[in-house]
Amino acid sequence: MKIHEYQARNLFAQYGIPVAAGDVAQTPEEALSIARKAGLPVVVKAQVLVGGRGKAGGVKVVDNEADLVSEFNRIKQLNIKGYTVERLLIAKAVDIRKEYYLAVTIDNIKGDVVVIACADGGVEIEETAKTHPERIIKFYMQGAKELDEARWAPVAAQLFDDLRLRKSVTAILQKLLKLFFEKDCSLAEINPFVINGEGNLMAVDAKVIIDDNALDRQPEAAALRDMKYEDPDELEAKTKGLSFVKLEGNVGCIVNGAGLAMGTMDGVNLLGGRPANFLDVGGSSNPEKVLNALKIILRNKDVKVILINIFGGITRCDDIANGILTALKQIQIHVPMVIRLTGTNEKEAKELLTSAGLRTFSSMRQAVTEAVKATK
Ligand code: GDP
Ligand code: MN
């Protein structure tokens, strides 16, 4: 879950990472009052959960109140990558001497937390990674949650000549790591991380992503979720007890169990199709879940076929069959359904479906082949 810059910088401040004075505003009056408190010049920044706000005209430094109001109104009208701007951050403008990059994230391939630092900040790090990969410093935590200062010291020295700044970056990184682990982040990024006019290090931007799987134990973070950026189908699926992720393809998949759901998606890809979604109806037998799953999948106009793949264990095939039959009565299903059932109460399920005129399969390969064929 991404959070807004103003929320992320509040976390930074809470952990003692230096940020400029400022606050979030929804109206020009609020913006003025924040600017009067912080002192001009201020920077006006669109709060949207997409990158490249600067390039899209969503970040502007102003040095007087008239410009503040006009820039506030201009930025508020912007549409940044499809998103309207509802809130703006007003913060005391920083006199930037030099921009750096500092982040903590997870390297999924190494299975380790990594600190990424770079002496060219501000610009998109992905760009530097392509053009000057040698300039990006990666410092692996090697499983530790606290900074191994002896191992880190040479990296700090590579970034800063000044001994005071080496100490300062070390202290800030320790705070960023604390925040990263305590708040279950997958990313805590400062870009740009700058030397200001007084020669001190501070964060000029703040980006924090919190692991969705940790939200149950991070209620404060969960409350920061901006629903505007959530997929409405995924939200609905969650309230109905379904694990659902929308994808780009056209084979709608209804499967029980996350492992089989992944396997089914692999199967669809291997046999030349593209799954429209990941959907796990879970382990319990509940015909209602099948009905809800069908409703959600059929809203996706790209879907050309529905592939139902059930391996009956705790899930009873006849419950799934009843769910399908209920759905046929209640909703208009305008695409073919390919149904594969095996395991608990398979025979009963197949009888139910066959007598309703539906064809069923026992082999997953056959069913997936049939479903992919229906999309061509
Ligand atoms: P992003 O484009 O969404 O990453 O937004 P940032 O907050 O990183 O701002 C983009 C760029 O605007 C930064 O790299 C800075 O060059 C500039 N900028 C942002 N805030 C300030 C500020 O307080 N003072 C100055 N001088 N420049 C700023
Ligand atoms: Mn930035």
Side-chain angles (χ1 to χ4, degrees):
M1 180 187 84
K2 289 183 184 172
I3 61 173
H4 285 291
E5 178 192 8
Y6 74 91
Q7 300 166 324
R9 73 199 292 283
N10 283 345
L11 281 179
F12 281 11
Q14 203 179 307
Y15 279 82
I17 298 165
V19 293
D23 207 343
V24 69
Q26 281 181 292
T27 64
E29 293 73 32
E30 283 171 1
L32 277 170
S33 118
I34 296 163
R36 281 172 192 153
K37 236 187 270 166
L40 287 157
V42 292
V43 60
V44 186
K45 302 170 91 175
Q47 298 297 286
V48 285
L49 293 178
V50 289
R53 292 171 307 171
K55 277 188 201 154
V59 177
K60 188 83 191 174
V61 177
V62 295
D63 60 10
N64 63 73
E65 293 192 352
D67 286 353
L68 169 60
V69 172
S70 65
E71 285 302 317
F72 182 99
N73 289 325
R74 180 187 63 79
I75 294 174
K76 194 140 193 209
Q77 297 301 315
L78 288 178
N79 185 307
I80 302 180
K81 296 184 183 163
Y83 291 100
T84 54
V85 180
E86 269 147 41
R87 280 158 291 191
L88 290 89
L89 172 70
I90 313 297
K92 186 162 180 56
V94 176
D95 173 14
I96 299 176
R97 278 206 206 147
K98 183 163 166 43
E99 300 191 331
Y100 294 82
Y101 177 96
L102 184 67
V104 181
T105 188
I106 298 168
D107 183 328
N108 284 311
I109 292 165
K110 295 221 172 161
D112 198 7
V113 170
V114 60
V115 176
I116 299 175
C118 185
D120 333 289
V123 291
E124 277 166 44
I125 194 78
E126 291 83 359
E127 204 45 49
T128 310
K130 270 187 225 143
T131 53
H132 294 287
E134 75 287 351
R135 298 182 63 90
I136 293 178
I137 301 168
K138 288 187 179 176
F139 176 85
Y140 285 92
M141 292 300 285
Q142 301 182 347
K145 290 194 172 179
E146 274 169 28
L147 193 63
D148 177 342
E149 286 193 52
R151 208 160 53 78
W152 166 256
V155 181
Q158 205 180 326
L159 289 167
F160 301 101
D161 292 331
D162 184 344
L163 205 61
R164 189 181 57 87
L165 291 178
R166 290 184 201 171
K167 274 192 186 156
S168 174
V169 69
T170 304
I172 290 173
L173 177 57
Q174 281 164 331
K175 290 164 182 163
L176 195 64
L177 282 164
K178 191 163 192 284
L179 186 164
F180 178 90
F181 285 111
E182 285 183 359
K183 298 295 177 190
D184 289 312
C185 299
S186 56
L187 176 74
E189 180 191 78
I190 315 179
N191 185 29
F193 177 51
V194 311
I195 304 180
N196 67 15
E198 288 84 50
N200 296 320
L201 289 172
M202 65 187 298
V204 162
D205 192 4
K207 184 169 173 186
V208 167
I209 303 178
I210 294 164
D211 186 340
D212 281 313
N213 296 310
L215 292 175
D216 282 336
R217 65 178 190 193
Q218 295 288 352
E220 282 174 30
L224 302 179
R225 190 188 282 281
D226 185 341
M227 290 302 174
K228 189 165 136 183
Y229 293 85
E230 301 297 322
D231 183 279
D233 290 339
E234 289 183 12
L235 281 179
E236 185 187 331
K238 196 179 274 177
T239 65
K240 304 250 158 91
L242 304 165
S243 301
F244 172 80
V245 181
K246 194 164 182 262
L247 301 166
E248 308 288 312
N250 55 15
V251 179
C253 302
I254 298 180
V255 188
N256 70 313
L260 185 59
M262 298 291 281
T264 304
M265 288 162 49
D266 283 349
V268 169
N269 277 308
L270 283 170
L271 293 169
R274 277 161 63 241
N277 62 276
F278 167 99
L279 192 149
D280 171 13
V281 290
S284 74
S285 278
N286 183 350
E288 190 78 11
K289 280 194 174 177
V290 177
L291 173 64
N292 289 328
L294 280 165
K295 281 185 185 165
I296 290 169
I297 288 183
L298 287 168
R299 248 180 257 152
N300 178 352
K301 297 297 162 227
D302 294 335
V303 168
K304 291 215 174 93
V305 59
I306 290 173
L307 170 62
I308 301 180
N309 187 13
I310 302 298
F311 188 90
I314 297 167
T315 306
R316 288 171 33 184
C317 292
D318 57 330
D319 279 339
I320 299 288
N322 278 318
I324 297 169
L325 296 179
T326 310
L328 281 173
K329 281 185 211 126
Q330 294 194 9
I331 55 175
Q332 185 79 26
I333 300 179
H334 48 81
V335 295
M337 273 197 284
V338 177
I339 306 165
R340 181 261 184 158
L341 299 150
T342 191
T344 311
N345 293 358
E346 172 180 343
K347 197 164 149 281
E348 292 83 342
K350 286 188 170 161
E351 278 166 15
L352 283 167
L353 294 169
T354 310
S355 56
L358 292 167
R359 194 170 156 214
T360 61
F361 297 85
S362 297
S363 144
M364 176 164 155
R365 176 178 282 272
Q366 266 183 338
V368 175
T369 304
E370 200 67 26
V372 171
K373 203 162 48 169
T375 66
K376 305 286 178 194

